[in-house]
């Protein structure tokens, strides 16, 4: 083994590093309504000045958002963050005033909210509701607003089905209204078939049709973009990505043009893609397609030619798979079934393949749950997390799978680890003057940390506490790159964990929620986002 260099353990708190103002960052594809996700509701104010659409991603407080644009040029005006899922919204028939409603929770936890938003001043009023959600809203005329509530069946008199009630708020003057002036307590029960969900939609309407039509009127193109759950930068400058539900694999040119796209096969589960393994020669890639239903999920592995997107081979597995790869090309598909089913069916062994898909063998890795995530990029070893013991929450060990079997390397928990459960996260293999190591995220009761650990014995070289959940980690050009739930890209020195730069995942005032990350051989950084865009930072 390589010699280890003794380095004093360090815990590095989030400091005040150099802030870079998004130098060279751009978004692909560059189309209007960058924040718009699956906008079932979209509308234009009566004066024709404002346009609103449900947005993807989360706000600074972690809540859903509605994007408000200027209709004249589609420029972003505001992102209105609310407490829970946006159920519906409606513009006033005369005034530039938006009413939107939210709902969250089941049974006794059901809550809702009514929000009134005035775009020109960015003023908003919030009226929370407990014990019921608000699932519909509609302006009846200039003075009256109808609100529809969903009522949980706490006594099971309706066989668990929601009941509904409505109230009508009437005012002579709506601008400047205060929350205390709105009474949502006077409600009238209504049958499900008589519920007024909101403004009627055109026959055959599909989510996004309104935005697509508005963009077409301006000579632009807009299509729905799903979360970019996996992104990989190729040596020739292209970038490939896998979307949550809408595209199994896409390939984009260095200038941001779509070269080809592989559609999601029919009969897939809710999240068909999201994982990509690229062969070392970058001629092909394997993608994951989840089949079946929640009672029996299976995996279809498709090998795709990266020259043109042709599917050239397939393999079927009888379990939902989680991929891990080794830098020399060997890769494994681990059984990632939820643990609650293990009393009926033990986890399958993980098959190990060559880049072409020839099976080399099978390794037993045991149970998998959300805390078992340990995706280590660019590593010459196949590494996993494996539970030690038979308890309900076994401690995790980092293990290596090889032709010799599975070897325990070191426990995930370290000497100064916070008390309570600890789970794995994304990471990357590094090698420098300190020797070989892995930099990986861990989730603890006190938040997320990023650790550098010497390989193969796991001594902690440094630990950096992050402000939010670590979403992805990669290394390139002698630097570490990390994206977090705080919508930041952090650049760190691998030797000591010091942050040398941090910048928001934002472009021209539009902020993005990071999901994935890949460092290009030339030093660029590619960030997949919940808004369906790939952010490109040419040189950090």
């Amino acid at each position: 083994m390589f010699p280890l260099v003794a380095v004093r353990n360090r815990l590095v708190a989030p400091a005040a590093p150099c802030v870079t103002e998004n130098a060279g960052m751009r978004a692909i594809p560059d189309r209007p309504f960058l924040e718009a996700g699956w906008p079932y509701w979209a509308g234009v104010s009566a004066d024709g000045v404002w346009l609103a659409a449900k947005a993807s991603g989360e706000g600074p407080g972690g809540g859903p958002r509605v994007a408000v644009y200027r209709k004249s040029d589609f420029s972003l005006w505001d992102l209105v963050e609310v407490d829970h899922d946006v159920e519906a919204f409606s513009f006033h028939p005369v005034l530039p005033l938006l009413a939107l409603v939210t709902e969250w929770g089941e049974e006794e936890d059901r809550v809702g909210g009514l929000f009134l938003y005035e775009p020109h001043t960015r003023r908003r009023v919030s009226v929370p509701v407990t014990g019921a959600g608000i699932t519909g809203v509609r302006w009846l005329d200039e003075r009256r607003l109808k609100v529809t509530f969903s009522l949980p069946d706490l006594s099971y008199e309706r066989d668990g089905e929601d009941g509904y009630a409505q109230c009508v708020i009437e005012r002579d003057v709506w601008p400047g209204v205060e929350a205390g002036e709105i009474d949502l307590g006077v409600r009238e029960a209504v049958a499900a078939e008589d519920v007024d969900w909101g403004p009627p939609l055109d026959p055959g309407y599909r989510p996004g049709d309104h935005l697509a039509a508005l963009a077409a009127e301006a000579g632009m193109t807009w299509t729905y973009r799903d979360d970019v759950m996996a992104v990989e930068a190729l040596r020739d400058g292209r970038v490939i990505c896998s979307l949550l539900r809408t595209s199994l694999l896409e390939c984009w040119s260095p200038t941001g043009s779509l070269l080809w796209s592989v559609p999601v096969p029919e009969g897939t589960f809710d999240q068909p893609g999201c994982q990509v393994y690229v062969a070392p020669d970058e001629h092909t890639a394997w993608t994951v397609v989840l089949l079946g239903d929640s009672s029996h999920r299976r995996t279809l592995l498709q090998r795709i030619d990266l020259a043109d997107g042709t599917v050239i081979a397939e393999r079927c597995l009888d379990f939902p798979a989680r991929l891990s790869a080794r830098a020399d090309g060997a890769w494994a598909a681990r059984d990632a079934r939820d643990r609650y089913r293990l009393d009926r069916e033990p986890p399958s062994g993980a098959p190990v393949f060559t880049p072409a898909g020839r099976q080399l063998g099978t390794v037993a890795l045991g149970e998998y749950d959300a805390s078992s995530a340990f995706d280590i990029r660019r590593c010459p070893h196949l590494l996993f997390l494996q539970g030690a013991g038979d308890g309900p929450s076994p401690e995790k060990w980092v293990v290596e799978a090889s032709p010799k079997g599975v070897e325990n390397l070191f426990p995930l928990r370290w000497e100064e680890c916070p008390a309570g459960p600890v789970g794995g996260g994304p990471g990357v293999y590094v090698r420098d003057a300190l020797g070989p190591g892995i930099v990986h995220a861990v989730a603890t009761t006190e938040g997320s940390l990023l650790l550098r650990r010497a390989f193969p014995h796991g001594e902690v070289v440094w630990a950096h506490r992050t402000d939010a959940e670590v979403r992805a980690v990669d290394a390139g050009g002698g630097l570490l790159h990390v994206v977090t739930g705080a919508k930041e890209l952090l650049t760190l020195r691998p030797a000591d964990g010091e942050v040398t730069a941090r910048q928001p995942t934002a472009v021209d005032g539009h902020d993005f929620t990071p999901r994935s990350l890949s460092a290009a051989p030339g030093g660029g950084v590619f960030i997949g986002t919940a808004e369906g865009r790939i952010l490109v930072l040419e040189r950090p």
Side-chain angles (χ1 to χ4, degrees):
M1 286 296 174
F2 299 106
L4 299 176
V5 178
V7 178
R8 182 170 58 91
N9 290 1
R10 305 182 59 213
L11 176 61
V12 183
C18 171
V19 177
T20 306
E21 292 296 334
N22 299 79
M25 189 175 281
R26 57 189 173 93
I28 55 175
D30 184 12
R31 296 173 183 169
F33 315 126
L34 290 176
E35 291 77 13
W38 190 237
Y40 193 85
W41 300 102
V44 177
S45 61
D47 59 6
V49 175
W50 310 106
L51 185 156
K54 188 174 179 180
S56 293
E58 308 92 23
R65 306 176 299 174
V66 170
V68 180
Y69 303 93
R70 288 186 177 275
K71 185 177 179 296
S72 58
D73 58 3
F74 301 153
S75 61
L76 180 66
W77 173 254
D78 199 4
L79 285 166
V80 183
E81 182 178 357
V82 293
D83 49 2
H84 301 300
D85 294 336
V86 177
E87 292 296 308
F89 59 74
S90 178
F91 273 109
H92 189 279
V94 175
L95 304 170
L97 175 65
L98 180 68
L100 63 94
V101 294
T102 66
E103 179 181 38
W104 179 86
E106 301 291 338
E107 300 179 348
E108 64 272 7
D109 296 327
R110 187 75 59 86
V111 294
L114 167 66
F115 294 80
L116 296 173
Y117 175 79
E118 301 174 25
H120 58 291
T121 61
R122 294 189 174 94
R123 180 180 183 271
R124 66 174 175 175
V125 171
S126 170
V127 185
V129 172
T130 58
I134 305 184
T135 191
V137 64
R138 182 180 183 184
W139 292 98
L140 299 179
D141 52 40
E142 297 179 27
R143 300 175 66 250
R144 297 181 300 157
L145 178 68
K146 180 188 284 188
V147 177
T148 300
F149 303 85
S150 62
L151 309 173
D153 184 18
L154 299 180
S155 61
Y156 289 92
E157 296 176 353
R158 299 185 297 268
D159 295 326
E161 296 293 327
D162 279 355
Y164 297 96
Q166 293 180 331
C167 77
V168 175
I169 310 164
E170 187 169 348
R171 289 184 56 83
D172 292 327
V173 179
W174 279 98
V177 63
E178 298 292 343
E181 301 170 4
I182 299 175
D183 183 6
L184 296 179
V186 181
R187 308 169 191 172
E188 181 179 345
V190 61
E193 57 270 20
D194 297 327
V195 170
D196 188 345
W197 300 105
L201 301 173
D202 296 332
Y205 175 85
R206 298 171 303 172
D209 281 357
H210 197 173
L211 291 187
L214 289 169
E217 289 175 5
M220 304 180 191
T221 300
W222 181 87
T223 55
Y224 167 62
R225 297 282 302 168
D226 210 345
D227 299 49
V228 179
M229 300 300 292
V231 62
E232 295 290 343
L234 304 181
R235 289 189 291 269
D236 61 7
R238 294 178 299 158
V239 59
I240 61 172
C241 66
S242 180
L243 275 62
L244 182 62
R245 299 179 183 90
T246 53
S247 289
L248 190 62
L249 198 65
E250 294 179 341
C251 182
W252 294 84
S253 74
T255 58
S257 299
L258 182 63
L259 300 177
W260 49 258
S261 176
V262 180
V264 174
E266 295 183 2
T268 62
F269 193 68
D270 184 44
Q271 298 179 6
C274 309
Q275 298 182 63
V276 178
Y277 157 71
V278 179
D281 62 10
E282 297 190 351
H283 292 161
T284 63
W286 287 88
T287 59
V288 170
V289 181
L290 296 183
L291 306 174
D293 55 32
S294 58
S295 64
H296 185 196
R297 286 197 276 169
R298 307 181 305 281
T299 298
L300 172 66
L301 298 169
Q302 290 193 329
R303 190 184 184 199
I304 296 172
D305 189 329
L306 295 183
D308 56 10
T310 303
V311 178
I312 57 178
E314 292 183 343
R315 267 189 167 274
C316 293
L317 302 174
D318 199 37
F319 53 83
R322 187 73 203 171
L323 304 187
S324 296
R326 202 168 66 183
D328 66 357
W331 59 286
R334 184 177 188 177
D335 187 342
R337 277 176 290 188
D338 295 328
R339 294 184 61 195
Y340 73 87
R341 295 190 64 243
L342 295 177
D343 57 338
R344 290 181 287 167
E345 189 173 355
S348 301
V352 181
F353 302 103
T354 67
R358 179 173 61 86
Q359 187 168 340
L360 298 171
T362 302
V363 294
L365 296 170
E367 302 173 0
Y368 184 94
D369 60 24
S371 66
S372 303
F374 201 64
D375 303 320
I376 307 300
R377 300 171 62 90
R378 309 184 189 280
C379 187
H381 311 273
L382 269 178
L383 302 183
F384 304 90
L385 286 185
Q386 189 175 55
D390 299 325
S393 300
E395 290 290 334
K396 300 292 193 302
W397 274 69
V398 176
V399 302
E400 178 183 0
S402 72
K404 299 178 183 179
V406 177
E407 176 187 359
N408 287 350
L409 297 181
F410 52 88
L412 182 63
R413 184 180 298 278
W414 66 104
E415 183 178 352
E416 288 145 353
C417 179
V422 55
V428 65
Y429 178 88
V430 295
R431 188 175 180 186
D432 52 22
L434 299 181
I438 55 173
V439 178
H440 68 92
V442 291
T444 74
T445 55
E446 297 181 9
S448 294
L449 291 96
L450 196 68
L451 309 176
R452 174 166 178 164
R453 308 182 81 155
F455 193 85
H457 300 301
E459 297 91 343
V460 175
V461 178
W462 52 257
H464 175 83
R465 193 181 303 278
T466 60
D467 295 327
E469 173 197 7
V470 173
R471 299 281 173 82
V473 181
D474 202 359
L479 297 170
L480 293 172
H481 305 290
V482 179
V483 286
T484 74
K487 300 184 180 181
E488 278 191 321
L489 169 66
L490 307 180
T491 302
L492 302 89
R493 290 197 299 256
D496 56 15
E498 292 287 350
V499 177
T500 61
R502 68 194 313 158
Q503 62 186 97
T505 50
V507 177
D508 296 332
H510 301 264
D511 71 52
F512 297 86
T513 306
R515 291 281 191 257
S516 52
L517 172 73
S518 179
V525 178
F526 293 78
I527 303 169
T529 71
E531 294 75 17
R533 288 344 189 244
I534 302 170
L535 304 187
V536 184
L537 181 62
E538 301 294 355
R539 289 186 179 275

